[in-house]
């Protein structure tokens, strides 16, 4: 049941990926075949199964569709099941699934159009703040950072700062520095504002700690691997632009879903000796 509901949401994400960059309505009109323009009926819109049943072709003009649509549906279905399995019936499960959906949209829109829509970034940041508030309201101070400064004996002060806001500032700040440095060193923009904003939003969820650095390191590794593979197959040259948003999205999903397993491994390999 959860898989099918997730896959149906994945089907909607395909619409968002196509229409959001074109600033078209997300709900109207109904989806059409891009080749023959025939409106898709209910039977064509059953997630995953329609694609398999029709062998990836349009029922009217027989033109084949990219398997990408079916893969987005299947992955989103799996992510819905995974969220419930990993986080249980908590607030975290639906919220992190929503973040997953945003990241899928970021992945493909940045790949296709080299932009990261602000809407997706805003939703991710909002989830970070909501999770923080939920922890604070339930009595825990786990999501607040305490800064302690002792001036002299008996005098001092303590500042409580919400983890999400500190993480957001740190994530965005780190990427601003990278953007600035890479522009100076390589004399061309290495990172866009969309990447900076997405990193800030992820900082709001992951907080300014090990999890964020794990996310950062994985995204750089994924980027390097993709770049090398891309060049090896002659698909892109040394100076071609490869969008960084998809790497950030992959790293984000890994850390959000498998953070407690991945973080110690990455940290022990790259940071802590
Ligand atoms: Zn068609």
């Amino acid at each position: 049941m959860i898989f099918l509901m997730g896959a149906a949401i994945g089907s909607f994400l395909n619409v968002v990926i196509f229409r959001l960059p074109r600033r078209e309505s997300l709900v109207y009109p109904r989806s059409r075949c891009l080749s023959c323009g025939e409106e898709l009926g209910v039977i064509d819109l059953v997630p995953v199964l329609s694609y398999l049943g029709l062998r990836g072709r349009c029922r009217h003009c027989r033109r084949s569709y990219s398997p990408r649509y079916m893969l987005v549906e299947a992955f989103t279905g799996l992510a819905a099941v995974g969220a419930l399995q990993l986080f249980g019936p908590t607030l975290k499960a639906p919220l992190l699934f929503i973040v997953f959906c945003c990241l899928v949209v970021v992945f493909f829109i940045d790949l296709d159009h080299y932009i990261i829509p602000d809407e997706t970034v805003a939703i991710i940041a909002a989830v970070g703040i909501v999770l923080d508030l939920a922890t604070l309201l339930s009595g825990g101070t786990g999501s607040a950072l305490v800064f302690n400064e002792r001036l002299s004996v008996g005098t001092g002060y303590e500042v409580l700062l919400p983890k999400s806001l500190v993480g957001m500032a740190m994530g965005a700040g780190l990427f601003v520095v990278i953007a600035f440095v890479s522009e100076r060193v390589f004399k061309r923009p290495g990172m866009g504002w969309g990447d900076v904003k997405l990193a800030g939003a992820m900082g709001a969820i992951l907080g300014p700690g090990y999890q964020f650095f794990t996310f950062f390191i994985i995204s750089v590794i994924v980027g390097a691997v993709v770049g090398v593979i891309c060049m090896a197959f002659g698909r892109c040259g040394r100076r071609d632009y490869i969008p960084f948003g998809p790497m950030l999205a992959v790293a984000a999903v890994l850390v959000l879903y498998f953070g407690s397993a991945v973080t110690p491994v990455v940290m022990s390999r790259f940071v802590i000796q």
Side-chain angles (χ1 to χ4, degrees), residues 77-88:
L78 283 178
V81 174
L84 199 60
Q85 282 283 327
L86 291 165
F87 312 120

Side-chain angles (χ1 to χ4, degrees), residues 33 35-38 58 60-63 65:
C33 169
S35 176
C36 66
E38 200 70 43
C58 168
H60 306 284
C61 67
R62 310 303 300 162
R63 210 191 101 146
Y65 295 133

Side-chain angles (χ1 to χ4, degrees), residues 38-205:
E38 200 70 43
E39 206 169 75
L40 300 183
V42 176
I43 196 152
D44 306 303
L45 292 169
V46 182
V48 184
L49 297 178
S50 288
Y51 186 91
L52 296 177
L54 294 163
R55 296 214 180 81
R57 288 170 187 281
C58 168
R59 202 148 45 89
H60 306 284
C61 67
R62 310 303 300 162
R63 210 191 101 146
S64 63
Y65 295 133
S66 159
R68 173 173 134 176
Y69 301 105
M70 194 262 293
L71 289 175
V72 166
E73 290 166 356
F75 264 110
T76 310
L78 283 178
V81 174
L84 199 60
Q85 282 283 327
L86 291 165
F87 312 120
T90 58
L91 184 64
K92 220 177 163 184
L95 287 183
L96 290 192
F97 174 66
I98 290 172
V99 173
F100 173 89
C101 293
C102 291
L103 291 168
V104 169
V105 170
V106 165
F107 184 98
F108 287 107
I109 292 184
D110 199 18
L111 205 62
D112 292 347
H113 304 276
Y114 300 148
I115 48 168
I116 296 177
D118 283 340
E119 291 88 339
T120 55
V121 173
I123 294 172
I124 296 172
V127 166
I129 293 167
V130 167
L131 283 174
D132 227 8
L133 281 176
T135 317
L136 285 172
L137 290 177
S138 65
T141 48
S143 64
L145 288 178
V146 185
F147 286 91
N148 243 317
E149 188 80 40
R150 195 159 290 282
L151 299 173
S152 61
V153 180
T155 59
Y157 62 93
E158 219 176 67
V159 187
L160 279 173
L161 288 170
K163 227 175 180 174
S164 54
L165 297 186
V166 179
M168 197 190 291
M170 199 205 65
L174 176 68
F175 275 65
V176 165
V177 171
I178 296 171
F180 184 77
V181 170
S182 66
E183 214 171 316
R184 284 294 155 97
V185 173
F186 301 112
K187 305 269 184 268
R188 69 206 165 103
M191 202 164 287
W193 278 110
D195 299 317
V196 171
K197 286 186 266 186
L198 180 58
M202 284 308 298
I205 294 186

Side-chain angles (χ1 to χ4, degrees), residues 19-20 50 64 106 136 206 221 243 257:
R19 293 187 184 175
L20 190 59
S50 288
S64 63
V106 165
L136 285 172
L206 300 175
I221 294 171
Y257 272 64

